[in-house]
Amino acid sequence: MLIDALKSRGLTYAVMVDDVQGHIHRESSKTRRVRRELRRKSAGSIVGTYASSADIVSWLNELAKTSSRVTLHSYGKSVEGRDMTLVKICNSTGTTKPIVFIEAGTHAREWIGHATALWIIDQLATSADADVARLLDAADWYIVPVANPDGYEYTHSTDRFWRKNRSKNNGSACRGVDLHRNWDSQWMKVGASGRPCDEIYAGPSAFSEPETKALRDVIVAAKANVKAYFALHSYSQAWLTSWGYTGQAPPDLDPLLDVAKKGADALMAVYGTHYDVGPGAVILYAASGCSNDWVKEKAAIKYSYSLELRDTGDYGFLLPSSQIEPTAIETWEGIKTAAKLILGIE
């Protein structure tokens, strides 16, 4: 037994989750029950649940029918041919506004990112809150809730801990590329692998994957108006600034940190959830080929961040569905605060 081996060597340890497989089974059963109930009612919101790709698509289509603020745009096809959806949320048409861009679901197993993005979409699409109205008056919101639809579906059907997309790799039986190492920002410099069987395999070349190429093209087309970019990941409870690949600071680190700290303070004020703030390479680990660094480095969008959501390892990627709502609420408070500062409306 592992625990006996640790004890025999005098090593200290802590049990974070007593029964990982049991936890997966309970959460999967809960997800299936919610899914059946929603289908039985032939309607209903998936907000606050760990929904499947199909249920997310159905809910977004229904939301676009019922909310005049929402339009859906297919921006490409995944490796396995699934549509990749960009959700645009605006309170008017025909007027050019600044854009706030949110990306989620790049890493398939980080379900809390998908669920939080859906929560934010719902708030922007349906809320009558004055804060939301001000944010929609000031900017259009572009949100990609599932940036890796094949990988996400695979976590529901086969392997809950799958991280990458589902590409077939030449010369290897191992599938998948880590999309958050596949961007052309110091690609393969650090924290990435050239071995297809590794979880951080960066692909045969930068932008080798249809998922990253298509999202890149969306950002390039909109970059003149994009004022803020938030990539949602988990876990660690950290608000990360550039750079992720080096400890050397960008020349504009001070304003980036100022916004990040105020955003994190607003997030932490909701439930007291502690977040670390700073460059990814300094407070987390060094990694290259990441979307948020490319957005800043190559698309020249100043305020680009990666948020590592709950928790710090008690559950990790298996964050219980009971924590979706508080995670989404506090994250939305942080993003709202940062967006207001960047847009100059507070």
Side-chain angles (χ1 to χ4, degrees):
M1 294 288 291
L2 175 61
I3 289 177
D4 291 335
L6 294 173
K7 287 179 178 177
S8 69
R9 289 165 174 77
L11 299 174
T12 59
Y13 65 91
V15 177
M16 309 301 286
V17 180
D18 287 318
D19 182 0
V20 171
Q21 186 56 51
H23 182 75
I24 293 173
H25 177 73
R26 287 190 295 275
E27 284 298 317
S28 297
S29 296
K30 187 182 297 183
T31 298
R32 286 193 296 270
R33 286 198 303 273
V34 170
R35 202 174 295 162
R36 285 195 301 268
E37 182 65 14
L38 291 175
R39 287 170 180 165
R40 184 183 66 80
K41 293 178 179 178
S42 299
S45 177
I46 60 169
V47 175
T49 72
Y50 290 132
S52 69
S53 295
D55 287 341
I56 290 173
V57 170
S58 295
W59 179 75
L60 287 174
N61 285 331
E62 191 62 30
L63 187 67
K65 292 177 185 176
T66 57
S67 173
S68 61
R69 301 173 185 173
V70 176
T71 55
L72 306 180
H73 304 264
S74 175
Y75 66 92
K77 297 282 188 180
S78 67
V79 166
E80 295 181 339
R82 290 181 173 87
D83 277 322
M84 296 183 290
T85 302
L86 170 68
V87 184
K88 294 184 180 180
I89 309 171
C90 319
N91 67 358
S92 63
T93 58
T95 303
T96 301
K97 291 183 183 179
I99 295 168
V100 177
F101 206 116
I102 299 175
E103 162 220 323
T106 289
H107 284 151
R109 63 192 178 190
E110 298 170 4
W111 287 8
I112 190 59
H114 309 75
T116 297
L118 295 174
W119 179 280
I120 293 172
I121 289 169
D122 185 61
Q123 288 293 301
L124 288 166
T126 66
S127 176
D129 183 76
D131 232 12
V132 170
R134 292 176 64 207
L135 288 166
L136 286 169
D137 284 342
D140 295 337
W141 291 72
Y142 286 19
I143 303 178
V144 175
V146 188
N148 177 10
D150 299 342
Y152 184 57
E153 187 61 31
Y154 194 69
T155 64
H156 280 269
S157 67
T158 307
D159 180 356
R160 176 63 182 83
F161 290 101
W162 188 259
R163 171 183 171 99
K164 302 183 284 184
N165 74 349
R166 294 293 297 160
S167 278
K168 294 179 180 178
N169 295 310
N170 290 334
S172 175
C174 297
R175 294 186 66 164
V177 169
D178 184 347
L179 300 179
H180 203 46
R181 299 292 186 274
N182 190 240
W183 292 71
D184 188 19
S185 173
Q186 308 297 317
W187 180 77
M188 279 291 293
K189 179 177 180 180
V190 65
S193 172
R195 296 183 295 271
C197 294
D198 289 349
E199 285 201 324
I200 54 172
Y201 174 51
S205 63
F207 291 124
S208 60
E209 305 309 295
E211 293 90 350
T212 52
K213 283 191 290 190
L215 185 52
R216 173 201 63 191
D217 292 347
V218 171
I219 296 166
V220 168
K223 70 176 185 178
N225 296 313
V226 177
K227 303 304 178 186
Y229 192 94
F230 302 93
L232 303 184
H233 288 268
S234 73
Y235 56 93
S236 286
Q237 294 175 194
W239 192 305
L240 305 179
T241 66
S242 292
W243 305 113
Y245 56 81
T246 177
Q248 182 177 347
D252 57 356
L253 180 62
D254 287 346
L256 294 180
L257 278 177
D258 181 59
V259 169
K261 287 176 179 176
K262 289 174 180 174
D265 284 345
L267 183 159
M268 292 187 282
V270 181
Y271 298 110
T273 308
H274 176 75
Y275 264 60
D276 293 323
V277 179
V282 175
I283 68 168
L284 200 57
Y285 51 76
S288 59
C290 300
S291 64
N292 53 298
D293 276 347
W294 180 89
V295 165
K296 181 168 181 60
E297 182 181 28
K298 298 296 180 68
I301 295 165
K302 179 176 180 177
Y303 293 99
S304 180
Y305 301 104
S306 180
L307 275 63
E308 295 282 347
L309 308 184
R310 292 191 189 189
D311 58 9
T312 56
D314 287 349
Y315 289 100
F317 303 120
L318 301 179
L319 195 71
S321 55
S322 59
Q323 292 198 39
I324 294 174
E325 182 171 320
T327 302
I329 289 172
E330 68 190 9
T331 304
W332 181 219
E333 284 303 313
I335 289 176
K336 282 195 299 182
T337 297
K340 289 174 189 175
L341 290 166
I342 293 166
L343 296 169
I345 60 174
E346 184 170 286

